[in-house]
Amino acid sequence: MKMIISMSLMIMVILTMLIVLLNMISKKSTFDREKNSPFECGFDPKNLARLPFSLKFFLIALIFIIFDVELTLLMPLVKITESSKLADFSLSISIFLLILMFGLLHEQNQGSLNWVK
């Protein structure tokens, strides 16, 4: 047990020394404004490098991806109907769809689905 603790401590010390050494070696000591500015074929950029992004569009896209993944979880259930009892299948599908509906109602109540406020 003592050997494991001592080896772990030794590994931690070596890793800490390596991290400190690599941080000292790899960091730039001078920050040049020209090197940090965006480069566009030798010319000054005409537009901003970062364009504003609509947060509402991002939320709608995220909700779509979540419900799309849940829809792909529903697809294999068609194959399960052959091997399971109808009562068990209908109960599990009902619970799954109920959870989806509660999620959709929650998103609607939070206002995430309203594009214009």
Side-chain angles (χ1 to χ4, degrees):
M1 186 67 173
K2 289 181 182 181
M3 185 174 173
I4 293 174
I5 293 173
S6 65
M7 291 298 279
S8 299
L9 186 62
M10 197 162 83
I11 290 172
M12 293 297 282
V13 168
I14 291 172
L15 286 176
T16 305
M17 288 175 22
L18 282 175
I19 289 172
V20 168
L21 179 69
L22 289 175
N23 279 334
M24 288 180 358
I25 292 173
S26 68
K27 289 200 176 186
K28 292 182 182 180
S29 60
T30 60
F31 290 103
D32 189 14
R33 186 178 66 85
E34 289 295 323
K35 285 185 179 180
N36 289 335
S37 66
F39 181 72
E40 197 173 290
C41 298
F43 300 103
D44 288 331
K46 295 181 179 181
N47 298 331
L48 293 174
R50 298 188 182 264
L51 298 174
F53 186 71
S54 173
L55 187 61
K56 294 303 272 183
F57 176 75
F58 176 73
L59 288 175
I60 294 291
L62 192 65
I63 291 169
F64 171 76
I65 289 173
I66 290 171
F67 281 104
D68 193 41
V69 167
E70 290 173 349
L71 187 65
T72 59
L73 292 174
L74 282 174
M75 296 308 246
L77 291 177
V78 174
K79 192 69 175 167
I80 293 175
T81 57
E82 299 171 356
S83 63
S84 67
K85 296 178 186 174
L86 184 61
D88 295 339
F89 175 73
S90 62
L91 180 66
S92 63
I93 242 350
S94 299
I95 291 172
F96 186 75
L97 289 175
L98 190 65
I99 291 171
L100 284 179
M101 292 305 292
F102 279 134
L104 186 62
L105 288 174
H106 178 70
E107 293 297 329
Q108 180 67 35
N109 288 338
Q110 292 293 318
S112 297
L113 300 177
N114 296 335
W115 190 262
V116 179
K117 285 190 177 183

